[in-house]
Amino acid sequence: MIMYKWMTPPNWNPAWNFQQAELTGLYFGITRALWYQFYAPATDLLRYYQAPDSLRTLGIFTKEVFKMENFRRGFFSSLLFSSTYGLAFQTSRFYLWKDYAGGYAHEHHTVNTDWGKYLLTAAAIGAVTCWIPVPFYNISLRFEQDKILPKEFARGYRNHFQAAFTILSKDGIYPFIRGAGPLMGQAFGETLGLLFFTDFIKEKLRHMRHWGTDFPGTPEAILRAVYVSAGVYAGVFMGYPFLHLKHLVEELPKNSNGELFFKNYAEALWKSLGDTFYIGQMWNGFHGYLARAGVPLFLATWFADSIGIFDQAVFPAVYVPDPEA
């Protein structure tokens, strides 16, 4: 039988693997801060004005976004906070993927059928790193909520880091881990889908690059756009239901009696499915979230692949004799 065991890839170096992952994490943080800085005022503007339908109206729309107060304030704080988040979370999961999945065997002339190892590797990385985004999410949430509170109730956080220090000194550790269950579920699902499907589809598309003798092959950029898009979409899709449940339980306003609409996640799950148990209810609002979270993740994954995080080293498969033969 053919056994795809782990082997040391050529030019493999844990220190360089970590540096590649750090660059990816930093790149994610910068693109995330830039995208969020534009996305928030743009969506606010679209609530009151028609979406641009030509280059001329797009230019006018963009100028109006640049004039908005929530575009011009807080960028440096968001940049530092997003970069810290990227260096903590994205670096961890991309480094672990490069360090472990990079050593599984690939062959030139066969399609790899040993996808189970990659799936288990992605799941293990998701389980190990899923706790990292939890405090970042809660700090960001408290920081944004403080902006809209009346002055007599607001703490006046100047930036995310000052907010984190104030929360820790006055409220303790609990606000940092509030709602950890669904947040960890979301991070686990996103990591599993992103890493596994990006690598899986990349390996399948590898055979489209050079088919035949006269055809120059499918351009690398087109193939990368396909498998990176598929990986990002799968990751965001698999993680979103957990955020949806968190929104139903913890973020909906209370009713007239001061009670939560859903007392726990189980109740929210069953009632959101309805009498017909329509599972699609769990993805309400998905594409809006994909537009917000998917763009920086797509750019970071593209960057990670371009510098070698998803490289698939080619090894000869190891033949292991069957003892029962």
Side-chain angles (χ1 to χ4, degrees):
M1 64 178 176
I2 300 297
M3 179 68 71
Y4 292 95
K5 67 179 182 180
W6 198 93
M7 301 173 65
T8 303
N11 302 320
W12 184 83
N13 187 306
W16 175 232
N17 295 346
F18 186 71
Q19 290 174 8
Q20 288 178 313
E22 279 186 318
L23 289 173
T24 302
L26 182 61
Y27 183 82
F28 171 84
I30 294 172
T31 55
R32 180 177 184 261
L34 289 170
W35 176 243
Y36 280 18
Q37 196 73 10
F38 179 83
Y39 181 85
T43 51
D44 288 344
L45 199 61
L46 286 173
R47 294 175 184 173
Y48 305 102
Y49 297 97
Q50 182 180 353
D53 55 3
S54 66
L55 290 177
R56 177 178 171 275
T57 55
L58 178 61
I60 296 173
F61 179 83
T62 304
K63 290 179 182 178
E64 292 301 317
V65 169
F66 290 162
K67 294 177 183 178
M68 295 182 68
E69 183 182 357
N70 56 346
F71 175 83
R72 293 185 292 178
R73 71 182 182 190
F75 173 70
F76 186 68
S77 169
S78 298
L79 178 63
L80 290 178
F81 186 74
S82 292
S83 298
T84 305
Y85 169 69
L87 288 170
F89 182 46
Q90 306 297 339
T91 296
S92 299
R93 61 181 180 179
F94 281 120
Y95 166 71
L96 290 173
W97 181 259
K98 173 68 173 178
D99 225 35
Y100 290 96
Y104 292 138
H106 288 274
E107 291 187 285
H108 270 302
H109 305 294
T110 61
V111 175
N112 182 18
T113 58
D114 199 27
W115 53 267
K117 285 187 177 180
Y118 299 90
L119 181 64
L120 292 176
T121 302
I125 294 171
V128 169
T129 61
C130 67
W131 61 272
I132 300 175
V134 176
F136 289 96
Y137 178 92
N138 285 313
I139 292 169
S140 180
L141 183 64
R142 291 284 290 267
F143 179 73
E144 295 300 326
Q145 288 177 339
D146 191 73
K147 293 180 181 179
I148 61 176
L149 288 174
K151 289 185 178 180
E152 58 269 24
F153 299 109
R155 289 180 173 177
Y157 301 136
R158 295 189 301 273
N159 54 64
H160 292 86
F161 297 100
Q162 191 257 343
F165 178 79
T166 303
I167 293 168
L168 180 62
S169 60
K170 294 186 176 181
D171 303 326
I173 197 68
Y174 177 72
F176 293 100
I177 59 175
R178 181 182 176 88
L183 292 175
M184 291 172 67
Q186 184 270 335
F188 172 81
E190 181 184 289
T191 301
L192 173 60
L194 173 69
L195 297 181
F196 173 72
F197 282 102
T198 299
D199 182 86
F200 180 82
I201 298 176
K202 178 179 181 177
E203 199 277 332
K204 299 301 176 282
L205 294 180
R206 176 167 57 92
H207 303 281
M208 292 178 59
R209 288 180 191 159
H210 302 286
W211 55 278
T213 56
D214 298 326
F215 188 71
T218 307
E220 177 71 21
I222 294 178
L223 296 181
R224 180 173 290 156
V226 173
Y227 61 75
V228 170
S229 298
V232 170
Y233 191 92
V236 178
F237 184 85
M238 293 174 66
Y240 183 77
F242 297 96
L243 282 184
H244 182 67
L245 280 179
K246 177 177 171 56
H247 171 72
L248 293 178
V249 176
E250 299 188 17
E251 298 175 14
L252 285 180
K254 296 180 181 180
N255 61 22
S256 58
N257 296 323
E259 301 171 337
L260 295 173
F261 280 94
F262 304 103
K263 297 178 182 179
N264 51 58
Y265 294 109
E267 181 185 359
L269 175 62
W270 288 113
K271 289 186 176 180
S272 62
L273 292 177
D275 296 334
T276 59
F277 291 94
Y278 176 56
I279 192 66
Q281 297 282 358
M282 300 304 298
W283 282 271
N284 283 343
F286 166 72
H287 286 97
Y289 176 76
L290 177 66
R292 181 174 181 267
V295 171
L297 188 58
F298 173 85
L299 294 174
T301 307
W302 182 292
F303 178 80
D305 183 61
S306 66
I307 65 173
I309 294 291
F310 289 95
D311 277 358
Q312 298 173 337
V314 177
F315 304 101
V318 178
Y319 179 77
V320 179
D322 190 343
E324 298 180 358

